């Protein structure tokens, strides 16, 4: 679904917090990042299927939208995957070791 808004919701082309859709604000931030030769980092979580006792890294619906927007503006996307131990099918929570 697309997001629509009235023209007066943008002041000098800048999305207004709590007024504009998150997508408008996110794309604006991506475009600003591109002006500064920036990039986007996404964290992809590991989800376990309890029925089949398997799991995989799955980007959320919003992350898929964000990735599409990044492609539109030419922004490089780096993905960080939540650590898991495949042999034990155990997910490691993010802690200070994983976040610098």
């Amino acid at each position: 679904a697309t997001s629509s808004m009235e023209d007066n919701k943008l002041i000098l082309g800048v999305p207004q917090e709590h007024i504009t859709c998150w997508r408008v604000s996110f794309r604006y931030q991506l475009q600003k990042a591109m002006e500064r030769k920036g990039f986007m980092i996404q964290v992809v979580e590991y989800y376990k299927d309890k029925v089949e006792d398997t799991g995989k890294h799955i980007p959320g619906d919003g992350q898929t939208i964000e990735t599409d927007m990044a492609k539109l503006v030419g922004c490089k996307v780096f993905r960080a995957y939540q650590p898991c131990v495949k042999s034990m099918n155990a997910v490691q929570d993010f802690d200070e070791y994983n976040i610098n």
Side-chain angles (χ1 to χ4, degrees):
T2 58
S3 175
S4 64
M5 65 180 173
E6 298 172 22
D7 290 339
N8 64 358
K9 299 293 188 206
L10 291 177
I11 298 174
L12 300 176
V14 179
Q16 301 302 298
E17 189 174 4
H18 304 296
I19 297 174
T20 57
C21 174
W22 73 268
R23 293 178 182 129
V24 173
S25 179
F26 195 86
R27 182 165 175 159
Y28 173 78
Q29 294 300 328
L30 283 173
Q31 289 170 328
K32 283 182 64 174
M34 287 305 299
E35 291 169 9
R36 295 174 175 90
K37 299 182 176 147
F39 52 88
M40 179 174 80
I41 299 175
Q42 285 184 328
V43 176
V44 182
E45 294 183 82
Y46 188 83
Y47 292 94
K48 288 178 69 173
D49 184 330
K50 294 178 181 169
V51 175
E52 297 183 24
D53 198 33
T54 60
K56 61 184 173 180
H57 290 95
I58 304 172
D61 293 341
Q63 288 177 310
T64 302
I65 293 167
E66 293 167 357
T67 301
D68 290 343
M69 280 193 266
K71 287 178 188 174
L72 287 172
V73 300
C75 186
K76 177 79 174 164
V77 178
F78 293 93
R79 286 191 168 163
Y81 293 90
Q82 181 180 15
C84 63
V85 180
K86 296 278 185 182
S87 62
M88 298 179 356
N89 203 21
V91 177
Q92 178 182 351
D93 288 332
F94 287 105
D95 55 22
E96 290 179 18
Y97 175 79
N98 304 106
I99 301 169
N100 295 324

